[in-house]
Amino acid sequence: MSLEEPTSSPPQVLVTGASGYVASHLVQHLLVGGKVKVRGTVRSLKNESKSAPLMKLVPDAKYPLELVEADLLNEESWIEAVKGCDYVYHVASPIIRLGATVSDEQNEIIKPAVDGTLNVLKACVAAGTVKRVVITSSVAAVSGGFIAPRDTPYTEEDWVDESTVPAYEKSKALAEKAAWDFVGKLDEDKKFELATINPSFIIGPPLTLATSDGFSLGSVKKVFTKKVPAIVHVSMAMVDVRDVAAAHIAAMETPEAAGQRYCVDSGRNLWWKEVADIMTEEFGPQGYKPASFVMPKIGVGILKFFDDTLKRVYPMIGKTVTFNSAKMRSQLGIEPRDPKISIIDSCYGLIEIGAVEKTPLYKGRTDDESKGDAKQEEKTKE
């Protein structure tokens, strides 16, 4: 199946949660490609901080972006959103914002993830036009995230025991399992193809200010701006948000991707101290002073009782969890960026969208760096 198949009119594609970190990049990729009509969902069209930046992503797009309202727990809203669509990227899911406290995990995280996924899939059945759905899952559904180290890398064959992990990781596992189960039980005349993208810790430049405070990019931002007292000794498997978006598109266009999961990862882990050192090397001369002190484990153990973020990362201290992304490379043709490049681009992106202030010494990216990034984009497209 390919989005390039000749038709009398371009295919209609839906991107759920279009204002999100990954989804906004996906929308941009699709609009720039100009092969499809793109419809995106947002919770409220009245929220200009979310919808207006999306309309400015590709102002000269061949087919202008269409935005519609839909809510994960409002089943009826998805009927209209999916109507007439050929392909659906289900990216929307509850997220944990850095430092935020969740009082009701079942209703705030797990239920919206699972029921929201099923509501979208039910709407795909009702539409009767959908050929393939690509769902954004996570390595949380594979390994439980980064808290279960083992001697060999995790692969797409692995599934976490959701009863052993925190709410977010549990929500990703339950939502993905629910999706595979739902599609597997459909009558043949109602079936559509399904693929899932399971990215590791996502970094890379944000496209909008609203996406700068999620758990992953928010963590980068806090280290970069020294808004954390110290760094925790944690190793992260990382992947660039632009490579995640490209993987979604490849999973939709690649025939053999039907029925497959894909671990999407750069293949290189970084300790947070390494991340800070990368930031300091690039941005120290430009007036920035990222966090540099590594907090002893005993200190984290004490402070985790007063900080939900430290409580969340405490089990990960000193551990390394890796993922095998060979299938992503061989089947989807994605050659991921070096996470060092992604860290640098994350920081430049945060500065350029106004999430981090410019210092008097700030010079911005050089022409050579911009050209290098353009070459990476072309390499991924090939």
Side-chain angles (χ1 to χ4, degrees):
M1 183 177 296
S2 171
L3 297 185
E4 299 183 79
E5 292 174 356
T7 58
S8 56
S9 62
Q12 179 70 60
V13 170
L14 180 70
V15 179
T16 72
S19 62
Y21 184 29
V22 172
S24 58
H25 274 275
L26 178 55
V27 167
Q28 185 184 60
H29 275 239
L30 292 167
L31 291 175
V32 169
K35 297 185 293 185
V36 298
K37 290 182 178 179
V38 184
R39 180 185 300 160
T41 72
V42 292
R43 291 185 67 179
S44 173
L45 291 171
K46 296 178 181 178
N47 188 340
E48 288 290 315
S49 67
K50 297 286 186 73
S51 57
L54 289 173
M55 301 306 296
K56 297 175 182 178
L57 286 178
V58 187
D60 58 347
K62 183 177 180 181
Y63 304 108
L65 174 65
E66 175 192 3
L67 291 180
V68 299
E69 290 185 349
D71 184 276
L72 287 173
L73 293 178
N74 184 342
E75 186 173 347
E76 290 301 314
S77 68
W78 292 105
I79 300 298
E80 192 62 30
V82 177
K83 187 177 180 179
C85 288
D86 300 285
Y87 305 97
V88 173
Y89 294 97
H90 179 43
V91 192
S93 185
I95 62 172
I96 298 178
R97 297 205 171 273
L98 199 63
T101 300
V102 179
S103 58
D104 186 348
E105 295 178 341
Q106 178 62 36
N107 287 311
E108 292 181 48
I109 301 295
I110 298 171
K111 182 177 175 62
V114 177
D115 290 359
T117 296
L118 292 176
N119 286 339
V120 171
L121 296 179
K122 290 174 184 176
C124 291
V125 174
T129 56
V130 176
K131 300 177 180 66
R132 182 178 293 187
V133 176
V134 174
I135 292 179
T136 312
S137 186
S138 168
V139 293
V142 174
S143 69
F146 308 99
I147 59 176
R150 68 183 192 186
D151 294 336
T152 58
Y154 284 90
T155 75
E156 293 84 358
E157 299 300 316
D158 293 304
W159 282 93
V160 67
D161 177 355
E162 65 271 8
S163 67
T164 65
V165 292
Y168 173 76
E169 288 80 357
K170 182 176 182 178
S171 74
K172 300 304 288 187
L174 290 176
E176 188 185 346
K177 286 182 177 180
W180 287 114
D181 185 59
F182 178 87
V183 173
K185 291 180 178 178
L186 286 175
D187 293 337
E188 286 302 318
D189 61 337
K190 295 180 180 180
K191 276 190 184 296
F192 46 82
E193 296 172 335
L194 177 66
T196 63
I197 298 298
N198 299 69
S200 56
F201 190 81
I202 304 174
I203 54 176
L207 293 178
T208 68
L209 186 60
T211 62
S212 64
D213 288 318
F215 186 80
S216 60
L217 193 58
S219 299
V220 171
K221 178 182 172 182
K222 285 205 168 188
V223 172
F224 182 45
T225 57
K226 209 172 184 178
K227 288 295 196 295
V228 289
I231 299 167
V232 181
H233 185 53
V234 169
S235 167
M236 303 298 291
M238 298 179 169
V239 65
D240 194 288
V241 65
R242 293 162 292 189
D243 296 329
V244 176
H248 279 76
I249 294 174
M252 190 68 82
E253 297 184 343
T254 305
E256 59 263 38
Q260 299 296 321
R261 311 171 81 201
Y262 292 95
C263 286
V264 176
D265 178 61
S266 69
R268 179 187 173 193
N269 284 41
L270 291 178
W271 296 94
W272 275 105
K273 181 62 167 68
E274 292 180 284
V275 171
D277 289 343
I278 291 168
M279 293 174 177
T280 301
E281 179 183 6
E282 177 73 17
F283 295 96
Q286 299 186 62
Y288 294 91
K289 297 180 180 180
S292 59
F293 174 69
V294 179
M295 185 185 300
K297 184 174 182 179
I298 188 172
V300 182
I302 295 171
L303 293 177
K304 70 183 176 67
F305 294 104
F306 310 98
D307 187 301
D308 285 345
T309 300
L310 291 179
K311 180 179 180 181
R312 181 179 175 81
V313 302
Y314 182 76
M316 302 154 57
I317 292 177
K319 299 177 181 178
T320 299
V321 178
T322 59
F323 301 90
N324 186 330
S325 56
K327 192 162 81 167
M328 171 198 76
R329 297 168 188 265
S330 63
Q331 291 189 10
L332 302 184
I334 303 297
E335 289 298 330
R337 291 165 175 79
D338 185 320
K340 177 178 180 179
I341 294 173
S342 302
I343 291 294
I344 292 172
D345 287 354
S346 297
C347 296
Y348 277 121
L350 288 166
I351 294 168
E352 292 301 326
I353 66 169
V356 173
E357 291 186 8
K358 293 181 179 180
T359 68
L361 296 176
Y362 180 67
K363 296 180 180 179
R365 296 182 54 152
T366 66
D367 289 340
D368 287 343
E369 288 171 331
S370 298
K371 289 176 183 177
D373 188 60
K375 288 180 180 178
Q376 175 66 36
E377 292 286 352
E378 289 302 317
K379 184 178 180 183
T380 298
K381 290 177 183 178
E382 290 172 2

